[in-house]
Amino acid sequence: MALTLKSGFSFDYDNLFGEGKVTEADIDFDALRKAHEAMKVMRETGFIKAHLSKDGNPEKVYFSKLPYITEENGKLNLNSPASIKRLHDFTEKIRNNVDAVVSLGIGGSFLGNKVLFDIFCGEFWNTWTTEQRKGLPKVYFSGQNIDPRRTGDIINHLKAMAANKGGKFKVMLICISKSGGTLDTMSNFMVIYDELKKCEDIEVEVVAVTDPNMEKKTLLKQIAVDNGWECFAVPDGVGGRFTVFCEVGLSTAAVIGMDIEAFLQGAQDMDKACQNDDIWQNPAMLNAALKVAAYKKHGRNIEVLMPYGDYLKSLSEWYIQLLAESLGKQWDKEGNEVCEGRTPLVAVGTTDMHSQTQQHQEGTLDKVVQFVKVAKWANDLTIPNVFPNVKKLADISGVTMGDALEVARQSNADALKSNKRFNACFTLPEVNEYHLGELMYLLAMSVAYEGELLNVDAFNQPGVEAYKRIMGPKLQELKAKG
Ligand code: PA5
C-alpha cells in the first residue's frame, strides 16, 4: 500500500496499516475531518484555534504560504518575486567575492540550513577549490552550541586560511535569530566577530536575519540598523521550525547556489496534494492519522526517522525539533493537562542498523520506524570484483552501492514487519531540491495535522522558555561575581 504522487514521491505504509497494525477502526475520522477543515482555515486566514505567541497574544500561522512566490505574500515578508530576486542577487554578490560564510543560529535558525548544506554540498565542500564551488564560499555553522573549543577552532581555522591567502580574506557572518537575542547565537557571534575584526588579514561583513519589525526592533535588528548591515526577514507567523522555506533557510540556499524555486515548487506541489479531501490521497493527513493511531491505539509513541544515506542525517535532526517542539505539550487547547506528544529519535541507515536496530527489532513495542529512501542515486558506484577468490566478496560484486543500500533497508523493514514492528517509508525519486521541498513540507504539514488531532497548539514552544528564564539571571549572577 502506497500513496504515490505524480512526481514519483511516495509514502509506503504497508508495514503500518492493516491486520495486526493500525486499522481503519483505530482512526478517528471525525477528528480527522475537523483537522482537515482547520488546515483549510489556516491556509486561507492564518488562524489556528488557541494559538498564542510567546507574549500570549493570538498569532497567525503562515508557514503554508511560504511555498507560494506572490506579490501578496511579499506584504507579509513571505516569499515574493522581489524577495526571491534579492536572494539571487545575494548569491551573485557573494560569488567570487566572499571566501567564507559563517552561519550563526540555533534550533529553527540552524537545523533546516544544515539540512540544505549537508544534502547539496556534502562533507567535502570546504575542501574544494573556489572553481569547484563555482566561486561560492566555504560555509561553516556556529551558534548551535556554546562550546568554547569548537568556536575557538572555527576562529583559528578562519585565521589560518586568511594568513595563507595573501591579501584580504573576506568572511561573511550571517547571524540568524528571530527573537534577535538568543544567547547561544549571540555569544558565538560576539566572540567570532570580535576576534575576526582584530585580524588584519580579515575583512568582516555581517548580514542579520531577524524579525523585520522596525517599531519594536529585536536586539539584532537594532545592532544591524546601527551598523548598516544587510538584513533578511524572519516573518511574523513563521515559527523557528518552519523557517527553512523563508529567508532563514533560503539565505543558506542562496549562499550555496541552490535552486530555490525548485525547492519551493516541491513544497508547493506537496501543499496542493495535502489539500485533497480524501485521506488516502492526502500525504500529510494520511501520515498524521496513521502515526496518531499508532500512538494512541498501539502505544507506539516514538518515531525513529531513519533516512538511508549519510547526508540525510541532518534531515532527521531537523525533524526532531519539528516533532518535539510542535507536539510535546503539557496543556491542550482547552487548558487541560495532557502531557502529549510522540518522541522523535534520530537514526541513519545503514549505520544505526549496527547500533539501534536491536532495540527497534526486539525492544519495547513503542516505536514506528519511518524510513526515507532515495530511489536513484546520482553517480552511483558499482562494487568491483577485487578479490574473485573470496566468495563472500565476489558474490556482491556487480551490485551498485545504491542497490545494496536499498536491499539493506528493505531487509530491515521486512525483519521489523516480521516481529510486529511498525514501519513506513518515504521515497524520494532522487535527491534534488524539488523532492527535498516535497518531503520537508510534508513533514511540516503533517505535524500541523497532528496538533489538531491531539488538540494541542503545534505552533508554540512555552517549554523552551522555562530554562531561559532561569539561565538569564544565572549568567548575570556569574558576571556580578566576576
Ligand atoms: O522553534 C523555535 O522557535 C526555536 O527552536 C528557535 O528557533 C530557537 O530557539 C532559536 O530562536 P531564535 O531564532 O529566536 O534565535
Side-chain angles (χ1 to χ4, degrees):
M1 260 166 295
L3 194 180
T4 303
L5 302 181
K6 262 195 265 158
S7 65
F9 179 99
S10 77
F11 174 40
D12 179 342
Y13 53 96
D14 209 33
N15 294 343
L16 179 57
F17 183 75
E19 209 188 318
K21 295 165 271 187
V22 173
T23 63
E24 286 203 24
D26 296 329
I27 298 173
D28 183 344
F29 285 96
D30 193 40
L32 204 53
R33 260 188 299 276
K34 286 188 185 137
H36 188 52
E37 283 309 310
M39 293 298 102
K40 279 188 195 166
V41 174
M42 177 185 79
R43 272 197 195 84
E44 280 159 24
T45 67
F47 174 77
I48 279 281
K49 183 184 151 197
H51 170 59
L52 300 177
S53 71
K54 204 157 65 174
D55 315 320
N57 300 315
E59 185 184 52
K60 297 283 174 79
V61 173
Y62 288 140
F63 85 91
S64 61
K65 289 186 184 294
L66 288 170
Y68 300 88
I69 305 170
T70 65
E71 302 283 358
E72 200 192 336
N73 281 348
K75 291 178 203 146
L76 296 168
N77 292 305
L78 306 167
N79 297 320
S80 68
S83 74
I84 299 297
K85 178 178 179 307
R86 199 173 150 227
L87 286 163
H88 288 308
D89 292 346
F90 188 58
T91 305
E92 294 318 315
K93 175 182 150 178
I94 287 173
R95 198 188 296 278
N96 295 318
N97 179 28
V98 173
D99 294 289
V101 162
V102 184
S103 179
L104 295 115
I106 191 165
S109 296
F110 160 67
L111 291 160
N113 302 55
K114 186 69 170 22
V115 173
L116 304 183
F117 177 77
D118 284 0
I119 291 184
F120 296 108
C121 298
E123 189 179 344
F124 302 105
W125 172 268
N126 289 345
T127 66
W128 293 355
T129 62
T130 310
E131 290 68 40
Q132 284 170 319
R133 294 193 312 269
K134 301 197 174 101
L136 293 171
K138 299 182 179 190
V139 179
Y140 302 88
F141 289 92
S142 177
Q144 75 276 20
N145 203 340
I146 318 177
D147 176 343
R149 178 167 176 196
R150 185 165 180 279
T151 302
D153 282 353
I154 290 179
I155 292 165
N156 291 335
H157 182 60
L158 291 168
K159 283 184 178 171
M161 284 191 292
N164 284 336
K165 188 181 173 188
K168 285 275 183 195
F169 185 81
K170 191 151 176 195
V171 180
M172 178 182 276
L173 303 180
I174 303 185
C175 189
I176 311 175
S177 176
K178 179 172 178 158
S179 63
T182 301
L183 291 175
D184 319 57
T185 305
M186 296 313 282
S187 55
N188 277 281
F189 172 60
M190 290 191 289
V191 168
I192 294 176
Y193 181 68
D194 186 54
E195 279 291 328
L196 299 189
K197 286 287 272 185
K198 287 191 285 203
C199 183
E200 279 186 359
D201 308 328
I202 295 181
E203 187 184 328
V204 189
E205 182 177 346
V206 181
V207 172
V209 186
T210 188
D211 186 331
N213 193 328
M214 287 299 283
E215 282 80 56
K216 258 177 80 186
K217 293 191 198 76
T218 69
L219 284 180
L220 180 57
K221 185 77 187 176
Q222 186 63 61
I223 306 170
V225 169
D226 292 348
N227 288 278
W229 296 336
E230 180 163 10
C231 289
F232 286 104
V234 192
D236 268 354
V238 180
R241 52 203 178 271
F242 299 90
T243 53
V244 70
F245 298 107
C246 76
E247 288 180 356
V248 170
L250 300 185
S251 59
T252 291
V255 165
I256 61 176
M258 243 180 81
D259 187 340
I260 292 173
E261 281 88 343
F263 182 58
L264 295 177
Q265 189 62 50
Q268 184 183 131
D269 289 347
M270 182 57 76
D271 184 60
K272 288 178 178 155
C274 295
Q275 292 176 29
N276 202 313
D277 294 333
D278 177 358
I279 171 182
W280 308 105
Q281 298 303 323
N282 178 326
M285 182 157 54
L286 180 60
N287 182 50
L290 296 177
K291 300 281 169 66
V292 167
Y295 164 37
K296 290 291 177 188
K297 305 288 176 176
H298 299 265
R300 312 297 168 110
N301 62 319
I302 293 176
E303 178 168 4
V304 183
L305 189 73
M306 189 168 191
Y308 273 60
D310 285 336
Y311 296 161
L312 297 172
K313 185 175 183 184
S314 40
L315 176 78
S316 198
E317 288 164 345
W318 168 82
Y319 184 62
I320 296 292
Q321 186 201 14
L322 182 66
L323 192 69
E325 277 193 358
S326 300
L327 303 178
K329 300 288 154 71
Q330 187 169 358
W331 312 97
D332 73 7
K333 291 192 185 212
E334 279 72 44
N336 303 306
E337 185 160 20
V338 286
C339 301
E340 258 309 348
R342 305 186 292 122
T343 301
L345 253 183
V346 172
V348 76
T350 61
T351 312
D352 291 313
M353 291 165 71
H354 299 260
S355 60
Q356 292 186 34
T357 289
Q358 172 63 33
Q359 167 61 241
H360 303 170
Q361 183 71 26
E362 293 188 359
T364 325
L365 271 167
D366 55 1
K367 295 169 208 66
V368 174
V369 180
Q370 175 63 59
F371 298 114
V372 178
K373 150 191 168 183
V374 174
K376 190 174 179 335
W377 287 91
N379 309 318
D380 203 353
L381 302 172
T382 301
I383 301 169
N385 197 2
V386 182
F387 306 104
N389 299 330
V390 184
K391 187 171 177 329
K392 189 173 173 186
L393 300 182
D395 280 353
I396 60 164
S397 68
V399 174
T400 68
M401 291 187 79
D403 285 345
L405 183 68
E406 172 51 13
V407 169
R409 190 203 64 79
Q410 187 64 58
S411 306
N412 191 8
D414 290 352
L416 291 168
K417 177 189 169 187
S418 71
N419 199 24
K420 306 187 289 281
R421 310 288 158 156
F422 296 178
N423 63 93
C425 185
F426 296 125
T427 300
L428 304 185
E430 57 187 306
V431 178
N432 62 23
E433 285 90 341
Y434 179 86
H435 294 305
L436 184 68
E438 281 182 302
L439 177 59
M440 293 182 89
Y441 189 83
L442 160 61
L443 293 169
M445 185 50 85
S446 197
V447 298
Y449 271 96
E450 280 194 65
E452 295 307 300
L453 292 175
L454 299 175
N455 193 34
V456 295
D457 182 357
F459 301 99
N460 67 358
Q461 55 283 328
V464 180
E465 298 307 311
Y467 85 84
K468 286 187 187 168
R469 280 192 289 272
I470 302 170
M471 185 176 165
K474 269 191 195 290
L475 275 176
Q476 280 165 14
E477 249 173 60
L478 192 68
K479 190 179 171 189
K481 275 187 204 154

